[in-house]
Amino acid sequence: MKLSRADRSLLAEWSFTIDRSLLIALVSLVIIGVVLSAAASPAVALKKGLPAYYFVERHIFFAALGTVLMIVISFFSPAGVRRLAAGLFLAAVAGMIAVRFSGAEINGAQRWLNIGSYSLQPSEFAKPAFIVIIAWLFGEASSRSDMPALPFGLALWAFFAGLLVAQPDVGQTVLISSTAGLLYLLAGLPAVGAGILVLVGSGGMWLAYEYFPHVQSRFLKYFGSAPLESSQAGRAIQSFAEGGLFGRGPGEGTIKSILPDAHTDYIFAVIGEEYGAIACVALLGVFAFITIRAMRRAAGEPNAADRLAIQGLALVFALQSLINIGVNIGLLPPKGMTLPFISAGGSSMLALSITAGMLLALSRRRPDPQRLKKPRWIPAIDEVQIAGPNPKS
């Protein structure tokens, strides 16, 4: 079906304004995730006493649902994205509060709500919504002095971070705080405030180390004299050495049968062992392309709130990817964080699809009303009124 630029339908407008390179890269990442899930998940499923393709089928289902969700959201206007973010954030916060009373506890953390046979992690859905809202608040704070947007933004930040710490989820707290801090700087807000935020963040990390045993344990193992003795991290690092440049071949890896989280947190190690370092670099290139492409589109966005939202969504996507990869290759202490669109997990897949949909919607080409000029032969109404009637007539 061919679409003409004279066509004013919603589909035609979307087709000519969407960033096709960004869309293709995101959809390609989803497809790559499905292929890699087929390689990494069966061994984990059998180890857990489940059918071999249990996680693969779930991954395909959520990938398909997420792709539809991403495309639908990409049709939204910037105002529609902000309305979606507000509603989604309220619903996710309600879910995070409900988790404190009835959520399932897994590995010492309460982050999930059981809905039938599925588990839902509300904090994953709050993440993109929070980024869009705080980008709007920081944008307003940088352009309007008559609105207390900055205090509201900082209060919202502290509230959301507090909910994450209560679960506890220190990794997600660091992720959203790092992203919000970078948005603060990108918005051009007072540098003194940035210094205060760094001090608060440093103090928060120290408190997490002091009061959360699992955080202290991970840091001690990471900075210990023999970090490779840490079971999951050490085996993940070893898998890259065994994979070499070209890998041992699809399905030939052994790490996925050893690590309990090979299909989620450590799937990058599975890729390294079975497909090699070249495949890992290529995948890293896709993540880099998506981030750089989004940042370039943001650079041309005249509206501060939309520009910051694009930058924030791209940053949270990039930082989450870097954290997961950094843990897999031993550059960061172990942290349970998924690799976007590659790791298994329904909540993560759907939340990242919402993030991608918002990114596509906000980065669409739209005319800037400030740059639109009227033809010189059409006089403005004000000019006619000022000139008055022609005295010669």
Side-chain angles (χ1 to χ4, degrees), residues 30-46 51-60 63 249-253 256 262-264 267 270-271 274-275 341-344 349:
V30 175
I31 296 171
I32 292 169
V34 171
V35 173
L36 295 175
S37 175
S41 298
V44 179
L46 292 172
Y53 291 98
Y54 175 79
F55 290 115
V56 177
E57 292 170 357
R58 285 171 61 96
H59 193 104
I60 292 172
E252 298 299 321
K256 59 192 177 186
H263 62 314
T264 54
I267 194 168
V270 176
I271 299 169
E274 298 194 356
Y275 297 92
F341 295 118
I342 305 298
S343 298
M349 178 67 72

Side-chain angles (χ1 to χ4, degrees), residues 38-44 235 238-240 242-243 246-259 262 267 269-276:
S41 298
V44 179
R235 288 167 181 164
Q238 185 62 30
S239 69
F240 292 99
E242 294 180 2
F246 302 103
R248 302 176 66 173
E252 298 299 321
T254 58
I255 188 174
K256 59 192 177 186
S257 61
I258 300 172
L259 297 183
I267 194 168
V270 176
I271 299 169
E273 184 181 15
E274 298 194 356
Y275 297 92

Side-chain angles (χ1 to χ4, degrees), residues 209-221:
Y209 178 83
E210 288 291 325
Y211 290 98
F212 293 125
H214 70 284
V215 175
Q216 188 175 109
S217 173
R218 288 175 179 177
F219 271 97
L220 290 175
K221 286 182 179 179

Side-chain angles (χ1 to χ4, degrees), residues 15-91:
S15 175
F16 288 115
T17 58
I18 197 73
D19 187 329
R20 296 185 184 182
S21 297
L22 190 58
L23 175 63
I24 291 170
L26 287 165
V27 173
S28 298
L29 202 57
V30 175
I31 296 171
I32 292 169
V34 171
V35 173
L36 295 175
S37 175
S41 298
V44 179
L46 292 172
K47 188 177 179 181
K48 293 178 179 289
L50 299 168
Y53 291 98
Y54 175 79
F55 290 115
V56 177
E57 292 170 357
R58 285 171 61 96
H59 193 104
I60 292 172
F61 171 76
F62 284 113
L65 182 60
T67 302
V68 172
L69 192 60
M70 176 172 60
I71 299 299
V72 169
I73 294 175
S74 70
F75 278 83
F76 284 28
S77 65
V81 170
R82 285 191 285 273
R83 285 193 291 268
L84 172 63
L88 182 62
F89 187 74
L90 290 174

Side-chain angles (χ1 to χ4, degrees), residues 91-101 113 122-123 126 160 163-164 167:
V93 165
M96 292 176 72
I97 294 172
V99 163
R100 296 296 303 154
F101 299 98
L113 285 174
S123 60
F160 185 35
L163 287 176
L164 288 171
Q167 293 186 344

Side-chain angles (χ1 to χ4, degrees), residues 324-372:
N324 177 279
I325 294 171
V327 169
N328 275 253
I329 63 178
L331 291 179
L332 293 173
K335 172 66 196 84
M337 194 169 291
T338 59
L339 186 61
F341 295 118
I342 305 298
S343 298
S347 293
S348 175
M349 178 67 72
L350 295 180
L352 284 162
S353 297
I354 292 172
T355 303
M358 289 176 167
L359 188 59
L360 287 168
L362 292 168
S363 62
R364 284 169 55 188
R365 298 179 182 86
R366 293 182 176 87
D368 178 9
Q370 303 294 332
R371 297 176 183 173
L372 293 178

